[in-house]
């Protein structure tokens, strides 16, 4: 998961391949709670790993459930409908799928068996209404106190006297999660007679209630539904573990890739695995909306294949009550349509992680779209001229994922040829709520022109700190990292390990060509991993340096390693350090830094480094060696060490490594957008 302050998405030109989706958030948290309330042990497979599920798992542990987790499988021994922990403080983060059902469960059990519980969350959670659920529970004898603003978390639940003699009423036009919460909780107190829930007003998000009813049946509760107005829970209902249960992939998450396929899978369809025609999730009907806009879709029991059909997309006028979360993706797809798209019956957007109607309107306008918003609708007309945009995500995972699709802007019918726009996603870590690896998954299936992938080069003399600076920048930007200076040592190490004669130029060149392809290589912090093995210390040995010096004179090796360096230019961007990165390897880099420091300062750094590792060292000898090396590097015939004409020079003699990184990062931010004019291919 990207944990950077922002993530710059280069313009994307195509989508191809296959993706495997994470488990459904809605199903995951329902199943976790049901397993925790059941009698017996439930093994849950394919559980979504996300912020919301972690909140639910933590709450179940605090409440006394026995949990054993291994990867995406968790074994839960349930509480058989009774809580052994009668006093607990629960932190709910921003997980509506956790706080709402737990509020109902704890309120009913506290009123019938005692117990004191507080439920808190992040500041945004304390702005999300829960009053209609509280209003439905209080007449049942539940004692619930809003500790801040009335009708909003945080909450204190403390005893009461249960009264279930009348029908339970709940509003259906604010959030279906309120009804789901009651459906999940009331079987716990149904020992005396049938319990009836009556829905006031139109029930929104009906497909999510269908998910709840389906899962209740899996755990032994057969709710009788009378239209969408009345739900009857039979007397004596009791949760029973199904033994094992698998979580199907998230249909809401599928919407981003369905849209990506509709926009950019031109030659072959994008395959989406984990969810398909047999899904119990209402958001699978997003497929119908995508098809209405022009997508070509085929499906099987647990897969979809999506490609571009009609182009440009068709504008639609759609009542989105049946796909409230996935409908957000349609608003961004509307940027690629041939008219104005209207999405209505989406009032629930306003009480989600943020006011999504308002947020969507603000961010779409940044891109150049014309937007009209109302209490329960939004209308989107594509930009006449696309604009670079830094998208604020409001700590809302769906805002981040939806607007990633704007990176496909070079393909838009209204795009200016050869002038793609850059999209910056602020706070990309917010996708951790439901799809932590979303951006990594997107980059796996996205294609673009290499020249559109931004590069920062850091060149400079030995011991200037260029490797530390480049690594720091790559970490803070979420970019690939290339330590070019280690490549000859890596090649030399492989030559030694395989017993190849260094004078056999053909064999040595063959090894050099295999590195990065047949022999995996990657850099992680200050460590080098080769063929699955950490080899940093091996590369620092004198023998590796000697062999690297011998083979560096082989023309075939030099060319192979140039090709290898170029291959590191991958989404979303690259930071490369060396001596000729900005002059020879990446002359089109968006930002070129030439880092230096006084010989005295560099010698002291090298001296301290050696001493800290237990090596003997002489400061004067190190200083003389650096001066000699600087002279060789400046005067060598091939790729001499000189600043690129457009490089920004940074003398870090008096700077810490973090101060150097702060300086360069400010240059990067101030110079945004970093995008070349490249004709799409």
């Amino acid at each position: 998961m990207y944990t950077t302050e922002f993530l710059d998405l280069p313009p994307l030109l195509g989508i191809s391949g296959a993706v495997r989706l994470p488990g459904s958030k809605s199903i995951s948290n329902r199943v976790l709670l049901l397993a925790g309330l059941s009698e017996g042990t439930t093994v849950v497979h394919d559980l979504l790993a996300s912020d919301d599920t972690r909140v639910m798992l933590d709450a179940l542990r605090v409440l006394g459930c026995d949990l054993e987790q291994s990867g995406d499988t968790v074994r839960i021994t349930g509480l058989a409908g009774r809580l052994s922990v009668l006093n607990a403080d629960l932190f709910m983060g921003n997980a509506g799928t956790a706080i709402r059902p737990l509020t109902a469960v704890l309120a009913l059990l506290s009123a019938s068996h005692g117990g004191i519980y507080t439920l808190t969350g992040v500041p945004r959670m304390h702005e999300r209404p829960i009053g209609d659920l509280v209003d439905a529970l209080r007449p049942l004898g539940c004692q619930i106190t809003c500790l801040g603003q009335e009708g909003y978390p945080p909450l204190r639940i403390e005893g009461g006297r249960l009264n279930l003699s009348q029908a339970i009423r709940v509003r259906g036009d604010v959030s279906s999660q309120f009804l789901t919460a009651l459906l999940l909780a009331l079987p716990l107190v149904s020992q005396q007679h049938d319990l009836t829930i009556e829905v006031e007003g139109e029930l929104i998000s009906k497909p999510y209630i269908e998910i709840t009813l389906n899962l209740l049946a899996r755990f032994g509760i057969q709710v009788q539904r009378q239209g969408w107005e009345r739900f009857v829970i039979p007397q004596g209902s009791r949760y029973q573990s199904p033994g094992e249960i698998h979580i199907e992939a998230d249909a809401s998450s599928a919407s981003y890739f369905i849209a990506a396929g509709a926009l950019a899978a031109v030659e072959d369809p994008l395959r989406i695995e984990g969810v398909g025609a047999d899904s119990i999730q209402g958001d699978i009907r997003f497929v119908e909306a995508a098809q209405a806009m022009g997508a070509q879709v085929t499906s099987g029991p647990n897969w979809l294949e999506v490609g571009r059909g009609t182009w440009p997309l068709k504008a639609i006028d759609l009542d989105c009550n049946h796909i409230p979360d996935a409908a957000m993706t349609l608003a961004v797809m509307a940027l690629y349509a041939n008219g104005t798209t209207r999405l209505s019956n989406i009032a629930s957007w306003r009480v989600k992680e943020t006011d999504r109607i308002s947020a969507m309107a603000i961010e779409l306008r940044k891109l150049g779209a014309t937007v009209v918003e109302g209490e329960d609708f939004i209308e989107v007309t594509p930009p006449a001229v696309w604009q670079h945009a830094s998208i604020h995500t409001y700590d809302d995972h769906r805002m981040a994922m939806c607007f990633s699709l704007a990176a496909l802007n070079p393909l838009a019918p209204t795009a200016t040829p050869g002038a793609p726009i850059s999209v910056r996603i602020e706070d990309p870590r917010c996708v951790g709520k439901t799809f932590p690896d979303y951006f990594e998954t997107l980059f796996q299936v996205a294609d673009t022109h290499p020249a559109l992938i931004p590069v920062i080069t850091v060149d400079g003399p030995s011991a200037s700190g260029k490797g530390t600076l480049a690594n720091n920048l790559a970490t803070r930007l979420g970019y690939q990292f290339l330590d070019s200076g280690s490549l000859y040592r890596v090649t030399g190490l492989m030559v030694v390990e395989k017993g190849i004669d260094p004078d056999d130029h053909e064999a040595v060149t063959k090894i050099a060509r295999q590195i990065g392809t047949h022999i995996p290589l990657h850099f992680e912090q200050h460590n080098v991993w080769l063929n699955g093995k950490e080899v940093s210390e091996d590369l620092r040995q004198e023998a590796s340096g000697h062999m690297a010096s011998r083979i560096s004179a082989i023309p075939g090796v030099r060319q192979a390693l140039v090709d290898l360096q170029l291959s590191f230019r991958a989404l979303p961007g690259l930071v490369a350090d060396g001596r000729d990165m900005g002059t020879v390897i990446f002359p089109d880099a968006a930002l070129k830094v030439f880092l230096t420091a006084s010989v005295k300062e560099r010698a002291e750094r090298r001296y301290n480094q050696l001493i800290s590792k237990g090596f003997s060292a002489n400061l004067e000898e190190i200083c003389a060696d650096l001066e000699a090396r600087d002279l060789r590097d400046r005067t060598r015939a091939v790729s001499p060490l000189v600043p690129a004409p457009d490089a920004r020079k940074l003398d870090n003699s008096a700077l810490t490594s973090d101060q150097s990184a702060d300086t360069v990062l400010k240059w990067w931010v101030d110079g945004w957008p970093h995008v070349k004019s490249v004709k799409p291919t």
Side-chain angles (χ1 to χ4, degrees), residues 211-366:
I211 292 175
T212 301
L213 298 177
N214 183 297
L215 293 175
L216 282 168
R218 292 288 304 275
F219 283 83
I221 310 297
Q222 300 294 334
V223 177
Q224 301 164 16
R225 179 170 70 83
Q226 300 171 10
W228 294 104
E229 295 79 32
R230 287 171 60 87
F231 298 82
V232 179
I233 296 164
Q235 177 184 354
S237 293
R238 187 163 56 96
Y239 283 122
Q240 290 289 326
S241 168
E244 293 190 272
I245 189 168
H246 290 259
I247 308 296
E248 71 175 53
D250 188 58
S252 299
S253 296
S255 72
Y256 314 116
F257 292 99
I258 294 169
L263 297 174
V266 178
E267 296 184 1
D268 297 308
L270 175 67
R271 185 175 177 89
I272 302 166
E273 299 176 346
V275 66
D278 292 347
S279 173
I280 67 171
Q281 299 169 75
D283 274 349
I284 195 63
R285 293 186 63 191
F286 179 85
V287 168
E288 300 169 11
Q291 288 173 315
M293 295 189 80
Q296 290 186 338
V297 184
T298 56
S299 65
N302 67 341
W303 59 268
L304 302 166
E305 289 188 344
V306 186
R308 181 194 281 185
T310 303
W311 193 256
L313 296 179
K314 302 173 186 175
I316 58 173
D317 187 337
L318 185 67
D319 182 325
C320 297
N321 180 54
H322 60 300
I323 51 169
D325 286 340
M328 293 178 68
T329 312
L330 297 175
V332 180
M333 289 178 71
L335 297 171
Y336 301 86
N338 61 354
T340 298
T341 292
R342 178 183 171 89
L343 308 175
S344 59
N345 208 355
I346 54 172
S348 64
W349 282 20
R350 295 198 182 275
V351 295
K352 296 290 187 175
E353 283 78 348
T354 187
D355 180 340
R356 286 174 171 169
I357 293 180
S358 175
M360 186 65 72
I362 291 170
E363 305 310 314
L364 287 169
R365 289 182 185 119
K366 288 182 182 178

Side-chain angles (χ1 to χ4, degrees), residues 54-102:
R54 278 190 289 274
V55 164
M56 182 64 86
L57 286 167
D58 289 344
L60 292 177
R61 287 190 185 95
V62 170
L63 294 172
C65 286
D66 183 15
L67 304 179
E68 298 176 17
Q69 188 167 8
S70 177
D72 61 1
T73 298
V74 61
R75 183 183 182 89
I76 304 175
T77 300
L79 301 172
R82 296 291 296 268
L83 295 176
S84 57
V85 176
L86 298 180
N87 195 318
D89 296 328
L90 302 176
F91 178 73
M92 299 284 96
N94 196 17
T97 56
I99 193 172
R100 286 162 176 171
L102 278 171

Side-chain angles (χ1 to χ4, degrees), residues 51 93-94 122-125 353-354 356 392-400 426-427 429-431 433:
D51 295 342
N94 196 17
V122 299
R124 173 56 189 166
M125 175 64 87
E353 283 78 348
T354 187
R356 286 174 171 169
H392 185 57
T393 52
Y394 306 85
D395 195 25
D396 187 338
H397 56 132
R398 300 206 185 281
M399 289 293 291
E426 299 171 11
D427 188 26
R429 78 190 74 192
C430 67
V431 302
K433 184 176 177 66

Side-chain angles (χ1 to χ4, degrees), residues 15 63 79 81 129 228 323 366 371 449 479 489 494 507 545 628 656:
I15 295 289
L63 294 172
L79 301 172
W228 294 104
I323 51 169
K366 288 182 182 178
V371 184
H449 192 291
Y479 281 4
R489 287 177 174 262
M494 292 302 300
T656 66

